[in-house]
Amino acid sequence: MTDSEIRACGECAGLALDPGADGPEHEGRPVQCLRVAPGTAPALEAALAEVPAGCGRVVARGADADSGQVVLVLERGQPLRGGAVAAEGPGSLVALGERAAEWQDRHTAGALPAGDGYRRGVLQQQMRERADAIAASLDAASRATLDAELHHQGLYRFEDLPLAGSYWQSVRVSPEGAGLADLVAPPAPVPAFWQLARIALAVAVDDTGQPDAERYRTLLSGFNGRRPLVAIERGAAPTMLRLAALDDWLGKLEAGAGGTEQRDRLAALQAEAARLQGVWVRAAA
């Protein structure tokens, strides 16, 4: 968000928001500004009213008279660093998996109004559109990595995966411990496993693209205990993880950053395709 967009969101919600190095801040603490359509807002706000501490509770809300959108300001937490995910307790890997499952029960695909343009495959469509917009600016090696991933993703169809109405796309740290952060309210339902892939990339894959199978199993056990994974989700897990890495890389490029680290992490996951399939399918079984 630009500085003016941050301040405009604050004005709508009745808060003094300031641009920080890591995004919007309120009284020195990171927050998220989320704009949603009026038809989407009631179900989303009802779901947010039930989230535990450390999972993006609503700080303030308002309305933008010009656009008609509802503006929500959410707690965000600090960036996740090193071993910030505890072995047990409310900020543990098991707890993160449980919270992810609970969120999908709170805000289901059915919560999105039919008039907002329901269509399956919106996640893949958006990713390809983003890739097309940035491809011409890449060097040959980066373009090859991008083309290989788009080809791989094009081999799979996610239309039959269970769907969700929204998802948390990162993990950040609050006083209560690691929690879900950066809520996304997409224009149409997305695969429910997409949220778990985003979380797994943050807590179970290192910066070089190497997955930690044990950490992943622990995260999945928390999720599976609250909402059992179906077979098609277990099969899609490796491909969804790579899609999450592509999402991170495109985000860096769109922000004007080099994205070298994110590109190399995706390339490492591509190189480990066969081993990754075995690790993640066994972990989810």
Side-chain angles (χ1 to χ4, degrees):
M1 298 181 73
T2 65
D3 292 0
S4 61
E5 288 172 336
I6 290 171
R7 294 193 171 94
C9 282
E11 290 175 3
C12 291
L15 293 179
L17 298 184
D18 299 307
D22 193 32
E25 294 183 354
H26 174 54
E27 297 180 346
R29 299 188 66 174
V31 294
Q32 178 192 1
C33 296
L34 181 65
R35 290 177 173 268
V36 295
T40 303
L44 188 63
E45 290 184 88
L48 284 166
E50 300 177 1
V51 299
C55 279
R57 292 182 298 186
V58 177
V59 175
R61 75 177 303 280
D64 187 329
D66 294 330
S67 67
Q69 293 175 313
V70 173
V71 177
L72 303 176
V73 179
L74 312 180
E75 296 174 339
R76 192 168 182 230
Q78 303 293 335
L80 181 70
R81 302 187 189 283
V85 179
E88 57 185 28
S92 65
L93 290 166
V94 169
L96 289 175
E98 292 173 344
R99 290 177 178 183
E102 290 164 357
W103 177 256
Q104 289 174 357
D105 283 340
R106 292 190 187 102
H107 196 243
T108 64
L112 295 184
D116 275 5
Y118 176 89
R119 62 189 188 280
R120 289 179 178 266
V122 66
L123 180 63
Q124 295 90 328
Q125 177 184 329
Q126 289 179 331
M127 207 73 69
R128 182 166 287 279
E129 289 173 353
R130 293 169 63 196
D132 288 345
I134 206 77
S137 66
L138 300 179
D139 59 39
S142 295
R143 181 62 187 266
T145 299
L146 178 62
D147 288 346
E149 191 56 36
L150 292 176
H151 173 73
H152 174 78
Q153 295 293 334
L155 298 176
Y156 296 85
R157 294 175 61 85
F158 296 140
E159 284 88 344
D160 294 328
L161 288 171
L163 299 173
S166 60
Y167 61 95
W168 301 94
Q169 69 170 348
S170 66
V171 177
R172 293 173 69 92
V173 181
S174 72
E176 294 78 17
L180 309 183
D182 297 321
L183 182 64
V184 176
V190 296
F193 196 90
W194 176 237
Q195 177 177 243
L196 200 54
R198 291 285 337 163
I199 297 168
L201 187 67
V203 301
V205 179
D206 67 19
D207 291 342
T208 69
Q210 298 303 308
D212 185 317
E214 187 57 39
R215 288 173 70 85
Y216 181 73
R217 290 188 184 99
T218 304
L219 175 69
L220 268 189
S221 68
F223 188 96
N224 194 67
R226 298 295 172 92
R227 201 279 271 169
L229 292 159
V230 298
I232 193 172
E233 290 178 306
R234 297 197 297 269
T239 296
M240 294 292 283
L241 179 74
R242 286 172 54 167
L243 193 64
L246 174 61
D247 185 32
D248 271 5
W249 182 29
L250 292 176
K252 284 292 184 181
L253 294 173
E254 290 162 345
T260 301
E261 180 180 311
Q262 289 73 27
R263 179 202 63 200
D264 291 348
R265 181 170 60 173
L266 173 59
L269 290 173
Q270 292 173 341
E272 293 287 340
R275 188 178 72 86
L276 195 62
Q277 184 73 32
V279 169
W280 297 81
V281 171
R282 283 200 303 272

